[in-house]
Every structure is written in C-alpha cells, then in structure tokens.
Amino acid sequence: MDIIHSCFKAQIGEVVLPGDVFRFNVSSVEDDSSVKAEKIICGPGLRRNGDEIQVYKSGILRHKQPNLYWIDSQQKRYVPVKGESVIGIVTAKTGDIFKVDVGSSEQASLSYLAFEGATKRNRPNVQVGDLVYAQFIIANKDMEPELVCIDSCGRANGMGVFGADGLLFKVSLGLVRRLLSPQSEIVKDLEKIFPFEMVVGLNGRVWIKAKTIQQTLIVANLLESCENMTAQQRQALFKRVADGAL
Amino acid sequence: MPNDGSTKLSKNLLRMKFMQRGLDAEAKKQLEEAEKRIISDEHWYLDLPELKAKESYIVEERSYVPCEDLVYGRMSFKGFNSEVEKLMVLMNAPKEEDDEEEEKDVTRMDTDITDEEMAMRYGSLVESMKRRFAKKRDRSSVKNEEDVNHNIEDTQPKKAFLKPQD
C-alpha cells in the first residue's frame, strides 16, 4: 500500500493534466502481500491502463483514506454515472417508456413501471415537460442510459415527478458538488435567508422554490453567483440580502 | 468391402456412427481429425495474443458520490416542505450509525409496554388461568373466594333439586 501511495503522494493537492501517468513498480507491488487485500480505487478523472493509472481530466488530485484517489475538476457537461441522482426533463412519451433529457450526450429512458406504486394498470401521471428526480440504473458509455424513480426496495425516497412551480436552472458540476458536500458552507449560508426548497441533481441542474417568485429569483441568483466567489465575498453578499438590501 | 475401390463409400457416410464399427483404428483416427478440422474451420476467432488474466489491484469508480460523500439532493429549509425535511434526515443519516439506530429501535420496542402495564395484565391473567385449570366442582369455590374478596353477596338463590310433587 505504501508503495502505491508514495507514487501519488507528491501530487496530492496539486494540479494534474490529462495524459499524466502514475506508474507502480509492479513487481514490488506484487511482493507486497498487503496490497492484494487492499485494492486501490481510482475515482473520476483517473483511468486504469494495464498496470498504470492515467489522468483524463484536468484538476486537482484528491485522496481519501484509505485508498481512494480522484481528480477534482470543473466541467459543465454531465456524463451519466450509475447510481447518481439527477434532475431530468421528460421530453417524450412513447408507449411504455419516457425519454428524459438529463443534459448528457444522449437522452435517458425511464420506464413507466419504475415509479413508486406503478403497475401495468396503474400508470404514473407523467406529462411531457415534467421534471423528474431520478437515479441512473444503467449508465454505460456504449448504451442508452436508463433512469428509475425507485430504489432497490421499490420506495420513491423523494424521487419521481416534482416541481409544480419553482425555477430550474443550470450551474456547473463543480458547484453542484460543493452544494451537495456534507456541511456545505454555501447551503449553510443560504438557509439563513428564507425558507425555501431545493433539488440538486448531479447533472448540474438545480431547482428552487421559495414562498414568492421574488424570493425564488433571489435564491437562484445568489446560487449562480456563488460559482466564482470567495467565502468572504459570499458571506458579505448573503448578509446584505438577509438585511433586505436587495 | 470399403477397400475394394469399386464401391467406395463417401466420407460423410463413413463418419456416421453405425459405419464406424467396421473401420480399423487408422481410418477412425483419420476421420476424427478431419472432423476436428471441419469444426475448427467453422469457428471464427480474433487473431490476438492471449490475454493474461491477472487479478487487478486497481478498481475504477466513476462517481463523485463515494469520493466526496455527497449528500441527498433534495433539501428544504426552515420548514418549507416538511416531507422533504423528513426525507433529508432519513437519507443523510450516517451509514455507520445504522446499527445503533436498530439497537435504539429494539429498546423502544421494549418500552412499548411498561412494567406496570405488564404487571396489571398478568394480575388479571392469574385469575382467569386459575379458573381454567380448576375442575368444574372447584369453580364455584373459586367464585366464592372472589366474592369474599370483593364482599359482594350472592343475590341469586342457590339452585337445588326440587322434588316433583306427586
């Protein structure tokens, strides 16, 4: 394990570029018997190529104990990943599946049976243009991605059609991850301002609803402006809003 | 007869099972080889060096969710949507504490019925069970005991055999 870690160690927290390679001395790795039990996990931005690990996104190399490495990168284009929850827009209804736009290169399909309590007789009420919060069950680079609105136990857990009103907008994937990170500073600052509801999809879509349209717009604008602000700037702005300056 | 030449049987015919009984070992071998060749010619394969199946110690993970411990995507603040707030608590509960929660559930189940309730229930049960196991003749005595306890006089006259008049 230490052998592998030592080859990443110098780069953790540093910027890496696509094409960078992390090599291990395979023979020494194989000698180290502890490695066999402890596998190394390369997260998004890192790709296995034989015995070496290649970087395919530009960003900062991150490490999480004990053996997880990934690239923290900024991008706007969403690439479906199995298990991730996203906000989709229903674009077509064809027989037993819905086509859902999730902002990726291809539209995802969503079966009418993949809703809580749906049966062949009891179809869910989904119209074209509806927003759905769903998770990917198939996300393969060669295949059409497939969404479901239930978990493995058949419960919705907040997934499904939502958003009778409110506002949907797009932010970068990096900002979405910052919003969803546990103990997110942005969310903590934001929730002091108004009571509001928010749905954050990992595909960069954010849906906001507050008591009035004006408040909804304020929250949405604040979130969009969070993209390129330091913590101090953000706190100053949020304080001004909370005081009723805007 | 097959070696006669004048009446040569076709290869396909010779390959049939019932024809092979009469063949000698040499001819059998030849036929088998020919059959093998036919089978391998019909199969197509990629002209690639054999892949060495090695156990990989590198696992790929495509999602940011496990890396950054991302939380549940639906949020509600200051009681705007109480349903979502309940869900938030449910979905964002730390995974390690699942077991602890279960334990808590168990203790809560224990306290569903308090000790006093339990005592009351069993107190009344003692009587009914006692009556059940008592013989028919003893039942009246059991009743009497009850009466004594409660100081309630038996208002109904005791049934007795009435001699029919002649």
Side-chain angles (χ1 to χ4, degrees):
Chain A
M1 204 69 243
D2 294 336
I3 299 163
I4 293 172
H5 189 65
S6 64
C7 103
F8 284 108
K9 207 172 178 180
Q11 296 278 310
I12 287 171
E14 300 285 319
V15 172
V16 288
L17 295 172
D20 287 0
V21 173
F22 296 101
R23 274 197 193 84
F24 318 111
N25 191 351
V26 180
S27 57
S28 67
V29 167
E30 280 177 353
D31 288 341
D32 193 353
S33 57
S34 66
V35 173
K36 284 201 174 133
E38 292 267 351
K39 291 192 173 183
I40 163 168
I41 303 168
C42 53
L46 295 172
R47 185 189 333 245
R48 179 170 66 93
N49 183 22
D51 287 326
E52 57 192 29
I53 289 180
Q54 284 185 332
V55 179
Y56 73 92
K57 277 181 186 175
S58 51
I60 300 163
L61 182 70
R62 302 274 188 215
H63 170 56
K64 191 175 127 186
Q65 287 297 334
N67 53 1
L68 183 56
Y69 301 88
W70 76 96
I71 309 291
D72 188 5
S73 66
Q74 281 287 345
Q75 68 183 65
K76 285 190 157 182
R77 165 65 71 185
Y78 179 69
V79 180
V81 176
K82 188 182 173 184
E84 285 191 349
S85 300
V86 295
I87 296 176
I89 305 168
V90 179
T91 56
K93 244 161 89 168
T94 52
D96 46 5
I97 57 163
F98 305 109
K99 286 279 170 208
V100 181
D101 170 42
V102 290
S104 65
S105 60
E106 200 180 358
Q107 296 203 334
S109 65
L110 172 62
S111 167
Y112 77 99
L113 291 172
F115 288 85
E116 188 180 59
T119 57
K120 282 199 170 182
R121 291 234 179 120
N122 185 14
R123 279 172 173 261
N125 183 21
V126 182
Q127 304 300 326
V128 171
D130 277 355
L131 297 181
V132 287
Y133 185 60
Q135 67 176 354
F136 282 104
I137 194 160
I138 296 174
N140 199 319
K141 64 177 175 181
D142 304 315
M143 283 166 63
E144 184 188 45
E146 187 179 342
L147 290 166
V148 287
C149 291
I150 44 174
D151 64 1
S152 53
C153 305
R155 280 174 305 194
N157 272 342
M159 285 184 283
V161 179
F162 71 96
D165 34 31
L167 177 68
L168 181 80
F169 58 99
K170 246 194 120 238
V171 296
S172 79
L173 300 190
L175 180 59
V176 158
R177 295 208 317 271
R178 268 158 69 200
L179 286 174
L180 286 177
S181 66
Q183 314 301 318
S184 166
E185 296 283 318
I186 300 174
V187 172
K188 272 188 182 168
D189 291 345
L190 214 56
E191 68 180 295
K192 289 172 195 155
I193 301 177
F194 312 123
F196 71 100
E197 190 186 351
M198 175 159 78
V199 183
V200 184
L202 277 166
N203 57 345
R205 290 199 176 128
V206 181
W207 177 88
I208 300 278
K209 185 183 172 188
K211 273 185 183 140
T212 62
I213 292 172
Q214 196 193 6
Q215 288 188 347
T216 307
L217 286 170
I218 289 171
V219 175
N221 282 323
L222 284 176
L223 265 180
E224 275 178 330
S225 61
C226 283
E227 184 89 59
N228 300 308
M229 272 201 293
T230 61
Q232 288 87 10
Q233 285 174 323
R234 187 179 66 230
Q235 274 153 11
L237 176 66
F238 280 23
K239 204 176 173 204
R240 264 172 52 213
V241 174
D243 293 343
L246 284 177
Chain B
M1 206 179 89
N3 300 338
D4 201 334
S6 60
T7 53
K8 204 160 192 191
L9 294 169
S10 76
K11 263 190 181 172
N12 283 332
L13 185 56
L14 285 175
R15 212 182 292 137
M16 286 178 177
K17 202 125 200 182
F18 69 93
M19 292 299 284
Q20 289 183 354
R21 259 178 276 156
L23 287 174
D24 56 337
E26 186 96 344
K28 242 184 205 173
K29 218 175 189 181
Q30 262 185 338
L31 272 175
E32 254 171 42
E33 261 170 37
E35 201 163 337
K36 253 183 204 168
R37 209 180 312 130
I38 289 168
I39 290 173
S40 63
D41 281 350
E42 278 170 358
H43 281 70
W44 59 269
Y45 61 96
L46 290 173
D47 196 10
L48 287 174
E50 266 187 48
L51 278 172
K52 278 172 269 173
K54 254 199 299 187
E55 196 195 352
S56 177
Y57 52 90
I58 303 166
V59 183
E60 289 189 5
E61 170 59 58
R62 289 275 147 268
S63 176
Y64 278 105
V65 176
C67 300
E68 301 184 353
D69 294 324
L70 300 182
V71 296
Y72 184 56
R74 295 198 70 164
M75 306 173 194
S76 159
F77 304 109
K78 291 191 179 172
F80 188 82
N81 187 338
S82 55
E83 256 176 59
V84 173
E85 291 198 358
K86 270 182 223 159
L87 269 172
M88 276 170 78
V89 174
L90 193 76
M91 301 296 278
N92 295 337
K95 272 160 198 160
E96 288 91 335
E97 285 177 20
D98 278 359
D99 296 349
E100 281 177 33
E101 264 179 35
E102 269 173 35
E103 276 171 32
K104 265 183 216 163
D105 280 348
V106 168
T107 52
R108 207 185 305 141
M109 262 164 65
D110 278 349
T111 55
D112 264 0
I113 297 166
T114 60
D115 293 348
E116 289 93 80
E117 276 179 277
M118 185 97 145
M120 295 242 290
R121 172 104 186 103
Y122 272 104
S124 63
L125 227 112
V126 162
E127 283 303 318
S128 57
M129 291 309 275
K130 195 176 172 187
R131 207 172 302 154
R132 190 171 166 190
F133 285 109
K135 297 239 170 68
K136 245 188 187 163
R137 210 170 289 162
D138 303 332
R139 271 194 200 165
S140 55
S141 67
V142 169
K143 229 180 209 169
N144 284 349
E145 263 176 44
E146 222 172 286
D147 291 346
V148 168
N149 284 343
H150 295 278
N151 293 329
I152 295 166
E153 285 292 309
D154 204 348
T155 47
Q156 274 198 336
K158 205 180 174 184
K159 278 179 188 171
F161 182 74
L162 293 174
K163 210 176 177 182
Q165 286 173 341
D166 286 328

